[in-house]
Amino acid sequence: MLNINKLAYTYPENQTPVFRDISFSVAQGEVCAILGKNGSGKTTLIKCITGIYKPQGGKIDIVPPVGYVPQKVNFVYDMTVLDTIVMGRYQYIGAFSVPKKSDYETARFCAEKLGITELLDKNFSKLSGGQQQMALIARALTVGSKCIIFDEPCAALDYGNQNHILSVISALKESNTTAVFSTHDPNHVIHVADKVLILRGLDDYLYGTTEEMITDQILSDLYGMQLKKVMVNGRITSVVALYD
Amino acid sequence: MAKKQTALQVFLLIVLFLSIGMAMMLGRYTISFEKLYHAIWVRLFHPELAVNSVEYSVIFQLRLPRILLAALSGMALSVSGAVLQGIFRNPLVGPSMIGVSSGAAFGAVSAIFMALSGIAVMACSFVGGLLSLLFTMSIAGKVGSKNILAIILGGIVTGALFSALVSLVTFVADPRDTLPVIVYWLMGSFNGADASKVLLLGAVCLVCFSIIFKSRYVINLLALGDEEAYALGVDVVKLRILFLALTTLVTAATVSVSGTIGWVGLVVPHIARMITGSDYRSLVVTSGLIGGIYLVVADTLVRISPFGEVPIGILSALVGAPVLAYLLHTRKVSNA
């Protein structure tokens, strides 16, 4: 479960706050999408939830440890996929030890769950964007958390890989794991998310179920252009942008 | 994979012992294997027989302290370089880059200028190294700053400042007395090695290497970057302070006993990374062993050089710079 109450964050080097008063709550096993334009504060909010940034105000209730899947990682020194995944076990390994056999077993188990066993001996930097994302998800799974946070998990991926990543996020519900992910594309939201937080500007946000939030009006206002839901058999199948 | 790494480390350890053995035999006074073996046997089992033996004196009073000092210095500088390259996520960082070498050099040069010697030079060098680290950190803003570049820039500024201070001391030093000592010391040499220096550096290395060895895995995570490491649960600030303190300590201790020997801490970790990969669990050990071998061999070459004894700092730079240029040219530095 994730509870956020009156969260406020301003970058130390910048006087303009990113947000001053955001509150929302995600139940255990729910998937929550954070939707907003570029620069709306999605990544900042994600980093506050994961503890990377220290908010100046408000409260975040989340049961540690938290799994985190960054948008991308930039390895200066390359590692194998297996060694990358096993890093997720750090909280159990500690600063003055090395991963044990059981940590590697957990890493292999998580990789198997995601169907990436054949990648384990490859170097991480040699993987495609989609494969890297899968390896990072496996790393977050090894944390053994009941809550996994994704920062723009589908950014720069092709449709097939986007679909694959979204189905992995959706499958987390089966293990009653809470998932929070950020995106700027409403199409990512409609198939996966139970709840949506829409960041529209400073202290201007909407929060509710996907059905409530994904309306033509809200989306068109958010992006400053016309967007339309496409419904098939009473179910939203996609959101299309009507370019000028 | 782990077995392969262990086999490699055992092989390097054997090479290190062999190079130490060779170094004990080679020099102006060549000692045969039989005589070396006999001297070691006497030393271990019948020390009372050794009083008047020339070989015994050459091996145990002249060569062994010097060779051990070279091996320890090579290990210390290489391990420091490898650790710094990890925690700063920059393969072009070495102990000199954070200003510690210059600070330690300033401390030692000041001590020599004031006609101090022995342990006082070492103490001043330590203090200089620590001062330079504090200076670097105060320039960078705060210890554990999220901006790694700020620390590296702080190190460059500190290094430049202390180098200028070293030049100032050199400029005002008495050309008939202290100046030659300072200049020779600055070029780096194991010429003045003795048991007390070996013990000092050995003790510092033992303590610092033990802690680095225990915590070497977390350097893999620090090398991911602050945010990544923090999200995985790493206490980035505390661990960076720990590693900076340890590398400063071993670097300052090395500089205090052997002068400034550049390039080892920069080049050796690259060579190690090419052989063993980027995993710090093996990289730290491999770097240390290769660094030890590198300086033992380099110091032996210096001793048997037909041109007289060239300071090892010069030889190290003459070898290190082209090697790094080659690695950069073949892009093995960035791809390792």
Side-chain angles (χ1 to χ4, degrees):
Chain A
M1 202 179 83
L2 168 69
N3 263 319
I4 290 187
N5 193 19
K6 294 183 179 300
L7 196 71
Y9 186 79
T10 304
Y11 279 100
E13 63 272 19
N14 197 337
Q15 293 304 308
T16 317
V18 184
F19 36 80
R20 285 182 298 202
D21 183 2
I22 286 187
S23 303
F24 66 100
S25 161
V26 186
Q28 192 60 47
E30 273 187 343
V31 175
C32 171
I34 300 172
L35 184 68
K37 291 191 290 189
N38 294 334
S40 59
K42 300 187 294 291
T43 296
T44 308
L45 181 56
I46 290 281
K47 286 182 177 173
C48 285
I49 297 170
T50 50
I52 294 171
Y53 292 167
K54 295 270 169 283
Q56 287 87 4
K59 204 174 167 214
I60 300 171
D61 278 332
I62 190 166
V63 180
V66 179
Y68 171 56
V69 181
Q71 194 172 334
K72 59 175 183 175
V73 291
N74 182 16
F75 279 17
V76 178
Y77 309 113
D78 211 355
M79 303 288 284
T80 65
V81 173
L82 180 61
D83 282 325
T84 305
I85 295 173
V86 89
M87 284 178 178
R89 301 289 297 166
Y90 175 76
Q91 299 189 44
Y92 307 93
I93 298 165
F96 296 95
S97 188
V98 294
K100 293 175 187 64
K101 206 176 156 194
S102 58
D103 296 310
Y104 278 104
E105 278 166 7
T106 307
R108 284 180 194 282
F109 175 74
C110 293
E112 203 180 313
K113 246 166 85 173
L114 298 178
I116 55 166
T117 308
E118 76 284 357
L119 302 177
L120 289 176
D121 293 329
K122 292 190 176 171
N123 276 2
F124 184 85
S125 66
K126 298 280 184 274
L127 304 184
S128 69
Q131 289 172 328
Q132 288 192 349
Q133 202 64 30
M134 291 301 283
L136 294 175
I137 294 173
R139 189 179 74 179
L141 290 178
T142 62
V143 174
S145 166
K146 279 300 192 187
C147 183
I148 298 184
I149 315 289
F150 300 76
D151 186 12
E152 303 258 7
C154 297
L157 296 184
D158 59 45
Y159 284 121
N161 275 312
Q162 288 183 25
N163 189 41
H164 194 183
I165 300 292
L166 290 172
S167 56
V168 168
I169 295 174
S170 186
L172 290 172
K173 288 179 200 174
E174 291 163 21
S175 56
N176 198 31
T177 303
T178 306
V180 178
F181 71 99
S182 61
T183 181
H184 58 266
D185 187 344
N187 281 299
H188 298 155
V189 178
I190 53 179
H191 295 298
V192 182
D194 302 304
K195 297 276 179 63
V196 188
L197 175 76
I198 298 181
L199 298 176
R200 305 203 293 187
L202 184 61
D203 298 335
D204 182 9
Y205 70 92
L206 299 170
Y207 185 63
T209 62
T210 305
E211 288 72 29
E212 289 165 351
M213 293 296 109
I214 301 298
T215 67
D216 293 353
Q217 187 62 49
I218 289 175
L219 293 176
S220 299
D221 286 349
L222 178 66
Y223 293 102
M225 66 179 293
Q226 212 182 344
L227 279 93
K228 267 188 105 51
K229 286 189 297 186
V230 177
M231 308 283 289
V232 175
N233 296 333
R235 180 173 163 261
I236 312 170
T237 56
S238 62
V239 174
V240 291
L242 305 176
Y243 292 97
D244 296 334
Chain B
M1 198 68 178
K3 278 182 187 164
K4 214 169 138 187
Q5 297 292 352
T6 311
L8 174 73
Q9 287 161 12
V10 170
F11 170 74
L12 288 172
L13 192 65
I14 293 168
V15 174
L16 177 62
F17 279 119
L18 285 177
S19 57
I20 289 173
M22 287 291 288
M24 286 207 279
M25 292 192 282
L26 295 171
R28 302 252 174 267
Y29 184 89
T30 310
I31 292 167
S32 66
F33 178 73
E34 288 78 19
K35 285 181 177 170
L36 174 69
Y37 177 78
H38 181 255
I40 293 172
W41 185 79
V42 166
R43 169 81 179 194
L44 291 177
F45 303 110
H46 299 285
E48 72 282 358
L49 298 176
V51 182
N52 292 321
S53 163
V54 177
E55 287 84 14
Y56 187 88
S57 305
V58 170
I59 292 171
F60 292 108
Q61 284 167 19
L62 294 176
R63 286 189 191 160
L64 190 60
R66 179 173 178 151
I67 293 162
L68 290 179
L69 203 63
L72 284 171
S73 300
M75 287 179 180
L77 293 172
S78 305
V79 170
S80 291
V83 170
L84 292 171
Q85 286 172 13
I87 64 170
F88 286 131
R89 305 185 74 222
N90 190 331
L92 293 176
V93 169
S96 55
M97 194 64 91
I98 51 168
V100 173
S101 298
S102 305
F106 173 67
V109 165
S110 305
I112 297 170
F113 178 72
M114 290 183 285
L116 302 174
S117 60
I119 198 85
V121 177
M122 293 182 209
C124 289
S125 183
F126 261 131
V127 173
L130 291 174
L131 267 180
S132 63
L133 181 69
L134 291 176
F135 202 72
T136 298
M137 288 308 170
S138 60
I139 292 173
K142 56 181 179 179
V143 180
S145 160
K146 288 204 167 153
N147 191 351
I148 287 170
L149 188 64
I151 299 177
I152 294 175
L153 290 174
I156 292 171
V157 172
T158 307
L161 177 74
F162 280 99
S163 293
L165 290 172
V166 167
S167 299
L168 182 67
V169 176
T170 313
F171 180 71
V172 296
D174 185 345
R176 291 157 302 172
D177 185 12
T178 47
L179 183 62
V181 182
I182 288 174
V183 170
Y184 191 76
W185 185 88
L186 279 174
M187 289 176 186
S189 172
F190 298 112
N191 205 8
D194 57 34
S196 67
K197 288 183 178 176
V198 175
L199 283 175
L200 174 99
L201 187 56
V204 172
C205 284
L206 184 69
V207 174
C208 295
F209 285 179
S210 304
I211 301 170
I212 289 172
F213 183 78
K214 281 289 281 178
S215 53
R216 68 200 189 283
Y217 178 69
V218 78
I219 304 172
N220 284 334
L221 283 91
L222 289 170
L224 296 174
D226 286 6
E227 289 188 358
E228 271 283 289
Y230 193 85
L232 289 167
V234 179
D235 194 336
V236 175
V237 174
K238 273 189 194 159
L239 284 167
R240 183 174 292 143
I241 293 170
L242 174 74
F243 284 120
L244 278 173
L246 293 171
T247 51
T248 299
L249 213 57
V250 284
T251 305
T254 309
V255 172
S256 73
V257 295
S258 62
T260 47
I261 301 169
W263 293 94
V264 182
L266 183 59
V267 175
V268 170
H270 285 299
I271 297 169
R273 205 172 276 122
M274 279 171 62
I275 298 171
T276 196
S278 303
D279 190 335
Y280 271 84
R281 277 172 291 182
S282 45
L283 184 66
V284 162
V285 182
T286 312
S287 290
L289 291 170
I290 295 176
I293 296 165
Y294 179 80
L295 277 194
V296 168
V297 172
D299 187 52
T300 308
L301 291 175
V302 158
R303 283 194 292 115
I304 62 173
S305 156
F307 311 108
E309 191 166 323
V310 184
I312 197 166
I314 295 174
L315 183 73
S316 179
L318 283 175
V319 175
V323 168
L324 188 65
Y326 170 75
L327 293 176
L328 287 169
H329 182 67
T330 55
R331 299 173 66 91
K332 283 178 177 165
V333 166
S334 52
N335 293 341

